[in-house]
Each structure stands twice: as structure tokens, then as C-alpha cells.
Amino acid sequence: MGATESGPLGILGGTFDPIHFGHLRLAEEARGALGLARVRLIPAGQPPHREPPRCSGEDRLAMARLAVAGNPGLEVDDGEVRSTERSYTLHTLQRLRTELGPARPLVLILGADAFQGLPTWHRWEALFDLAHIAVANRPGSAPHARRWPGILSPALEAACRGRMANSPAALAAAAAGRVMPFDMTPLAISASLVRDLLSGGASARYLLPDSVLDYIGLHHLYRPS
Ligand code: ATP
């Protein structure tokens, strides 16, 4: 096994309905800021927290694969789309632990908006036993992480106490359990914005890869309902 196979693995879950440059920059910048060997993008099958996605799991997987093509630092995992269960992050991390063993550092990457909602997730406190959590400051949805004490719920703040890390070395030194904020280039792109533009007949070009837009056009996705 080379260094790449044993270094920290980033995990980026999401609906990816569709995948866009906000997701891709998040993965790419997390790789650099957190010292990750690779980032694995995991499109959700049936996300428990939200409306069903507009597109099928197959289409969202295909778009994610097109988006990461040519970048050896990014990969796509079809485990949640293939599963008939609801997509709980806890179960995905348990599956990855089985696949990768107890020692490999796993780093769950979340946008700050997703992180603030963590206490609503299924058995959220158990996630810290399975992975580190890295939180990207996302424009428009959360103040900078340095001001966390003011914005986190008391339960989340308590769960983070004693876990804060500020260097990639701290993540590489343990398999799980640390929380590390990092800044990313602000990109106010969301999948909802892309869907709204497309269903209104407007251009979404330069918000997501051309290859993904071509797929959307070819398969007539995100048309007005
Ligand atoms: P939607 O608009 O449908 O809610 P989304 O664009 O927020 O979708 P998700 O698939 O829900 O995309 O997001 C997956 C992860 O990517 C989440 O952790 C989210 O915070 C993060 N993310 C999405 N867009 C950005 C962005 N522009 N900058 C930083 N993080 C982002």
C-alpha cells in the first residue's frame, strides 16, 4: 500500500443534484488544507433530511463521475445510491471502516451550514468515533469558524470541546475524533440555484462542469415540471 492509500481519506456526502463547482472546490481545497490523500464523493441515495432529489441516483452518480474525471485526487462512491436503506452518514462511515480498517484517518467534510445542523442527524455523537470532521466556511450561511461559540447549539459546542485541531498533522495522527475548521474560496453556488436556472430556461454555464451540463442536456434533466 502506498502513501496515498494510507493517508487521510476525505469524505464528502451530499445530494449532488446536480454536482457543481462549489462541491468540487470544497473537495479540492479540503485536500490541500487538510492534507488528504484523496476525497471520496458519496452521492446520497435517499437523504433522510430533505425532499427526494429531483434526479435519480443513477443520474447523480453519472454526473459526479463526469465531474471528477481527470482528477486522481477525487473519486466517487456508489454505496449510498446502491443501498435500499435511507442514507445515514453513520452507516456509511461504518461501511468505510469495514472497508478501510480501524486505523485509516477518515475526515468527514461538511459545509458550515451542514455542520450547524449536525445535531439533527441520526446518532450524530457516534460520528466522532468513526471520523474526524472538517468544516468549511461557506459564504452566506455561517460566520467564520473562529466565532463558533456564538453560533453553535450548546450540544454541538459541548461535543466539539477538546476536539479542535488546527493542522493536517493532527488529523493524520489519529483515525477519528478531531474537528478542524478551514476556509475555502467563497463560491455562492448551490444545486438549488442551478436547478432554478435550468428549470427557468436560463444558462447555468460556468457554475458546473461543461461535461455535467452536456449530460443534463442529453438526458433532459431539470426541465420545468
Ligand atoms: P441544495 O441547493 O440542493 O441544498 P447544495 O448545493 O447545498 O444543494 P448538497 O449536495 O446539499 O449541495 O451539499 C453537499 C455538501 O457540499 C454540503 O456539506 C454543503 O455544505 C457543501 N456545499 C455545497 N455547495 C457549496 C459551496 N458553494 N461552497 C461550500 N460548500 C458547499
Side-chain angles (χ1 to χ4, degrees):
M1 216 168 19
T4 303
E5 277 67 43
S6 57
L9 177 71
I11 296 152
L12 177 56
T15 319
F16 301 119
D17 186 25
I19 192 164
H20 54 70
F21 284 136
H23 299 128
L24 293 164
R25 275 309 294 181
L26 174 61
E28 187 70 0
E29 294 196 26
R31 221 155 62 81
L34 308 171
L36 306 176
R38 290 161 79 87
V39 174
R40 194 180 280 203
L41 279 64
I42 311 185
Q46 305 172 51
H49 288 108
R50 48 189 293 161
E51 296 285 292
R54 274 281 298 274
C55 280
S56 70
E58 288 305 328
D59 282 331
R60 291 178 293 108
L61 261 184
M63 292 189 280
R65 289 194 171 118
L66 286 168
V68 307
N71 184 346
L74 304 184
E75 60 192 31
V76 176
D77 181 312
D78 65 2
E80 290 194 6
V81 166
R82 299 270 169 260
S83 169
T84 50
E85 311 280 307
R86 283 155 78 97
S87 295
Y88 288 115
T89 300
L90 181 78
H91 299 156
T92 295
L93 292 179
Q94 287 168 336
R95 169 172 66 83
L96 294 179
R97 274 282 160 233
T98 306
E99 178 191 332
L100 302 165
R104 177 97 185 252
L106 299 180
V107 184
L108 182 66
I109 301 163
L110 299 177
D113 55 322
F115 181 65
Q116 281 177 288
L118 196 70
T120 64
W121 293 20
H122 176 60
R123 291 188 51 208
W124 66 279
E125 283 157 307
L127 300 177
F128 295 97
D129 297 330
L130 292 160
H132 302 298
I133 298 183
V135 186
N137 187 40
R138 185 175 175 182
S141 54
H144 188 277
R146 270 190 285 276
R147 282 182 262 139
W148 272 1
I151 60 157
L152 296 189
S153 66
L156 189 51
E157 202 183 321
C160 291
R161 214 164 288 140
R163 297 187 183 278
M164 300 309 293
N166 58 15
S167 74
L171 301 182
R178 309 300 300 269
V179 175
M180 182 164 156
F182 68 102
D183 286 325
M184 69 168 281
T185 307
L187 284 174
I189 305 173
S190 65
S192 329
L193 169 69
V194 172
R195 291 195 301 272
D196 288 349
L197 288 170
L198 294 172
S199 62
S203 166
R205 201 165 179 199
Y206 308 129
L207 297 176
L208 65 172
D210 285 344
S211 55
V212 176
L213 268 178
D214 289 345
Y215 183 96
I216 289 171
L218 196 64
H219 295 268
H220 312 294
L221 307 179
Y222 307 113
R223 291 279 181 83
S225 38

